Amino acid sequence: MSGRRVGFCLSDKKRRRMNLDAFAVFCEGHGVEVVEIDLAQPLVPQGPFDIIVHKLSDVIVEAEQDSQSQQLLANFQSYVSAHPATVLLDPLPAMTQLLDRFASCQIMSKLHKSLRDWHICSPPHLEVHHASDLPSIQQALMTQGLSFPLICKTRVAHGSLSHEMSLIFSAGGLAVIQPPCVLQSFVSHGAVLHKVFVVGDRHFCVERPSLKNFPSGSCDRKTIFFNSHKVSKPESNSDLTALDEQMPCLPPPSSEAVAALVGELRVQLGMALFGVDLIINIHTHTLTVIDINIFPGTAAAAAHVRQTRWRALILSSLSSGYEGVPQFFSSLLSLIESVLEKRASTRTSGGPSAATTGL
C-alpha cells in the first residue's frame, strides 16, 4: 500500500510532547506519510488525507466564546464533511462529550450495570449547574447517595483550570464551590492511581501517585485545594500522597477486568484514543472509574540529541509514549494501519464510509 497520508492536527505543545517529528520518521519507514496540519491555513491544499489524528480540545472549548476559534472549528468541520472518506481519530462528537464532566460522569455511572460481572463502578456524583442550586445541595447529596469527603471538579474537563480541584469534608465547605461543577464521593484507594491508556485494540496500565486515604464521613477539617496533575505526576512528592498509616499494598487491577472495561468504553465512546483513571477501593477492592480523558498527554522523548538524532529519538519514543507507556509509536502506527486496511476493505465492498470512527 503506497501513498498513505495521515494528517496530525495538534497544538504546538502536543506536537512536542508526542515528538511528532520522530513519529513521522518512524512511519516513513513503514510507507506512511505524516503531515502536520496547520488549522489556520486552508485545508484542501494540505490534503488529501486518509486519516486525520487530532486533538482539538482547545479549539472546541474556546469556540464557545471566541469567534476565531469558531471559524477554525467550522473550517475543519466543513473539510471533514466534504471528504467523507477521511477517517477521524477520533470523531468530534465523541471527543466533545469527554470535555464535559457532566456527560463523562453519566457514561461512568452506567458502567456498573454493563460490567456488573467485573464489579466495576464509579463514585456517586452530583451535577451542580447553577449557584441557585446551592441552597438545596445537601438534600441532593443525600438523595444521590453521596457522602463526605467530596471531590469537587470543574465541569469543563480541559485546560489548566480543569486540574484545580478541592476535597470538601463537611457541609460548611460547600460554600466555596463555583458552579458549574461536579461533586464526587471520595473513595480511599491507598494513594495509588492506575492510568489506562488506550491505543486502538491495545491498552497499557501504569501506576501514578494519588491522594492519600481520608476517613469517611463529615468532619471539621478545612477544605483542601490541590492540582490533580501535579499530585499524580510520576515524580510527585506531595504531602497529599503520603499515607498516614501502614497498610498492605493493594493488588493491581485484574487484567481481564481492565480489558473488559476498555472494550466496553470503546463501544460506548466510539473512540480509539483515550485514557481512563482507575482506583481500587481499599475496603471493598472494587475497581472504580473516576475519570475518562481524550487522547492523553504523551511524554517527551530523549532530551539529548546528537548526530544520531532521529535514531535516538525513535528508540526513546518506542520505549516511552503515553507518559512512559512502552511501544507507543508502534501501537499508534498499528492502529493507523488497521484503520487504513478497514478503509480499503470498505471501499472494495462498497459498504458505508468509516470516516466517523476508526473502530
Side-chain angles (χ1 to χ4, degrees), residues 204-319:
F204 310 90
C205 189
V206 298
E207 287 190 7
R208 292 289 183 263
S210 186
L211 294 178
K212 63 184 179 182
N213 302 329
F214 290 95
S216 299
S218 178
C219 68
D220 59 1
R221 187 166 187 160
K222 290 183 178 180
T223 297
I224 296 174
F225 299 90
F226 65 98
N227 182 293
S228 61
H229 182 68
K230 293 179 180 178
V231 165
S232 293
K233 279 186 175 181
E235 69 277 10
S236 176
N237 191 26
S238 169
D239 290 340
L240 291 177
T241 65
L243 291 172
D244 295 328
E245 74 282 3
Q246 293 292 327
M247 61 169 290
C249 291
L250 293 169
S254 155
S255 57
E256 293 84 1
V258 173
L261 171 63
V262 168
E264 178 68 17
L265 284 175
R266 287 188 68 198
V267 172
Q268 286 197 27
L269 299 174
M271 296 175 66
L273 291 165
F274 60 94
V276 190
D277 289 350
L278 305 175
I279 57 175
I280 298 176
N281 188 314
I282 63 169
H283 302 296
T284 64
H285 289 193
T286 303
L287 192 60
T288 306
V289 184
I290 60 172
D291 206 358
I292 311 172
N293 318 288
I294 58 174
F295 198 3
T298 54
H304 302 288
V305 183
R306 297 187 176 87
Q307 291 182 345
T308 55
R309 181 171 184 260
W310 294 121
R311 177 174 174 79
L313 285 174
I314 292 170
L315 290 176
S316 175
S317 297
L318 282 171
S319 61

Side-chain angles (χ1 to χ4, degrees), residues 129-176:
H129 293 256
H130 310 286
S132 58
D133 297 335
L134 297 180
S136 59
I137 196 169
Q138 290 191 56
Q139 181 60 45
L141 290 173
M142 294 177 60
T143 302
Q144 297 286 76
L146 278 77
S147 58
F148 291 101
L150 301 170
I151 294 280
C152 181
K153 306 177 180 180
T154 60
R155 177 177 183 174
V156 177
H158 178 72
S160 57
L161 290 180
S162 68
H163 298 295
E164 299 298 332
M165 302 182 183
S166 56
L167 188 59
I168 301 170
F169 294 90
S170 67
L174 296 171
V176 303

Side-chain angles (χ1 to χ4, degrees), residues 310-358:
W310 294 121
R311 177 174 174 79
L313 285 174
I314 292 170
L315 290 176
S316 175
S317 297
L318 282 171
S319 61
S320 65
Y322 275 172
E323 298 186 358
V325 172
Q327 303 299 318
F328 170 64
F329 274 14
S330 57
S331 297
L332 182 55
L333 177 60
S334 176
L335 169 62
I336 289 170
E337 291 180 326
S338 173
V339 171
L340 288 170
E341 289 173 5
K342 183 183 295 185
R343 180 175 179 270
S345 175
T346 301
R347 281 181 167 180
T348 302
S349 63
S353 170
T356 54
T357 178

